[in-house]
Amino acid sequence: MIALTGTNGKTTTAALVTHLMKEAEMHVALGGNIGAGLGPAASELALLEPPPDWYVVEVSSFQLADIEHFAPDIGVVTNLAPDHTDRYPSVEAYYADKARLFDNATPESRWVLDGDDPAVDALAGDAPGKRYYARTDAAHDAGATVGTSPAVPVEADGGFLRDGQLVLRIDGVEEILLREDELSLLGRHNRANAITAAITASLAGASLDAIRAGLRGFRPLPHRLEPVVERDGVLWVNDSKATNVAAARSAVLSLDRPVVLLLGGRDKGEDLAPLLPALERNVRAVVLYGAARDRLEDALRGHVPLHRVDGSFDDAVHAAARLATRGDAILLAPACSSFDQFRNYEERGERFTALAKREA
């Protein structure tokens, strides 16, 4: 079993791991907390006949909270950031449930971790097993350390970006996978997801050729930094799954053009300060909508041009279309849940996509 958790990127990485393993003609089944119609619940996976050689399971903090004997052969933590602050009493309580992934670790366990974030390595604590690190911020000079984590040496096994290439290092042996511009996924955070998936698939037995072919052929999942349409020089991007501040920040920084950003929905009560540097750097205008618009307006006033919409989500999208000019991107990365106006983030993303195609 491969089990993936983390705050953001779980679904993309789980789907990509499965894609790479299928490219290698491995018998694999995907499911768990995956959503988006990509796989069944874990309980249904357990009933598959004949059983696959590998299960790839996305697990949420809510699921990990109640485990007893759950012990993946390969465990993956994509990243950590505050989330579900409307359900947990503290960030520490949220992280504590994530950390239960390591409860039943053995010396044979293998862990694929975000090497750019010291909080992820700390989450694993002293759990036994071999660790592999996915890195995009590594400085590959002699004696350098990885990203912001002094605990992870640059020569650690895993994968990283170097000179615009994705590189895999397993048992000290380096292999170049492909150039990062060969990926169809937008954004540096998706480079991290691709590296994480490549490490994981390799540990499960996928060949390098299959991993290379799978990385080139994988397409963005719906509602996850998904390019919808481009017309008259304006690119419409659906990242409705960006329901927390960290995901919205990553989405904004992933685009290499000025952004008209749609922010809003039901407030999760997160600190919005980490979003400000990204807005000031990449965003030309912010359209605020939904139940969270008052707090968003208070927090962002004076940092970036704001356009408050007191009407419907449709009105907000129309406002964004009026503000955008040639060379811009209209980005739905709401940093909030969808439950003020929609059943879920999928419905919100589908509505944005329909409106984008109509407006464009």
Side-chain angles (χ1 to χ4, degrees), residues 7 17 20 38 64 80 115 131 134 141 159 164 174 179 221 231-232 238 288 306:
T7 300
V17 167
L20 299 181
L38 296 172
L64 287 169
L80 288 172
R131 300 186 186 189
D141 299 322
E174 289 188 8
R179 299 188 316 275
L221 299 179
R231 193 170 299 162
D232 296 330
N238 169 20
L288 304 176
L306 301 178

Side-chain angles (χ1 to χ4, degrees), residues 114-134:
D114 179 358
D116 295 329
D117 184 355
V120 173
D121 200 43
L123 192 81
D126 58 358
K130 169 76 173 176
R131 300 186 186 189
Y132 301 81
Y133 295 95

Side-chain angles (χ1 to χ4, degrees), residues 124-352:
D126 58 358
K130 169 76 173 176
R131 300 186 186 189
Y132 301 81
Y133 295 95
R135 299 157 286 175
T136 61
D137 294 334
H140 293 280
D141 299 322
T145 56
V146 173
T148 55
S149 177
V152 182
V154 72
E155 65 271 13
D157 276 351
F160 49 86
L161 281 177
R162 183 175 62 202
D163 300 327
Q165 295 177 315
L166 276 66
V167 182
L168 199 64
R169 183 192 288 132
I170 304 295
D171 296 330
V173 178
E174 289 188 8
E175 296 282 354
I176 295 172
L177 294 175
L178 74 174
R179 299 188 316 275
E180 60 178 318
D181 61 10
E182 293 181 74
L183 293 170
S184 63
L185 299 169
L186 295 174
R188 195 169 186 86
H189 67 290
N190 273 324
R191 305 295 186 263
N193 292 338
I195 292 167
T196 300
I199 298 167
T200 305
S202 177
L203 294 177
S207 69
L208 289 174
D209 286 345
I211 291 171
R212 291 186 182 106
L215 289 173
R216 290 189 181 99
F218 188 75
R219 294 292 175 261
L221 299 179
H223 318 301
R224 293 163 175 83
L225 211 63
E226 174 194 12
V228 173
V229 66
E230 182 168 6
R231 193 170 299 162
D232 296 330
V234 176
L235 175 66
W236 294 69
V237 181
N238 169 20
D239 200 17
S240 184
K241 186 63 171 65
T243 60
N244 56 56
V245 167
R249 178 181 179 277
S250 290
V252 169
L253 293 175
S254 292
L255 298 175
D256 58 359
R257 55 172 80 192
V259 173
V260 176
L261 176 64
L262 286 150
L263 281 182
R266 178 179 289 178
D267 191 0
K268 288 186 173 182
E270 283 188 77
D271 179 11
L272 297 169
L275 189 57
L276 294 176
L279 298 186
E280 292 170 342
R281 174 179 165 183
N282 279 27
V283 173
R284 194 167 63 76
V286 177
V287 177
L288 304 176
Y289 75 93
R293 64 190 183 279
D294 288 340
R295 193 170 82 90
L296 289 167
E297 186 174 29
D298 290 343
L300 304 181
R301 187 183 294 113
H303 295 276
V304 66
L306 301 178
H307 298 266
R308 176 188 170 114
V309 173
D310 292 325
S312 67
F313 178 78
D314 288 21
D315 295 330
V317 175
H318 296 323
R322 290 192 298 271
L323 290 166
T325 61
R326 178 174 292 274
D328 287 352
I330 296 176
L331 171 64
L332 173 65
C336 299
S337 75
S338 59
F339 301 129
D340 58 338
Q341 298 185 48
F342 298 96
R343 291 192 304 272
N344 48 47
Y345 73 83
E346 291 102 332
E347 185 180 55
R348 177 172 61 187
E350 288 162 4
R351 184 60 184 163
F352 174 80

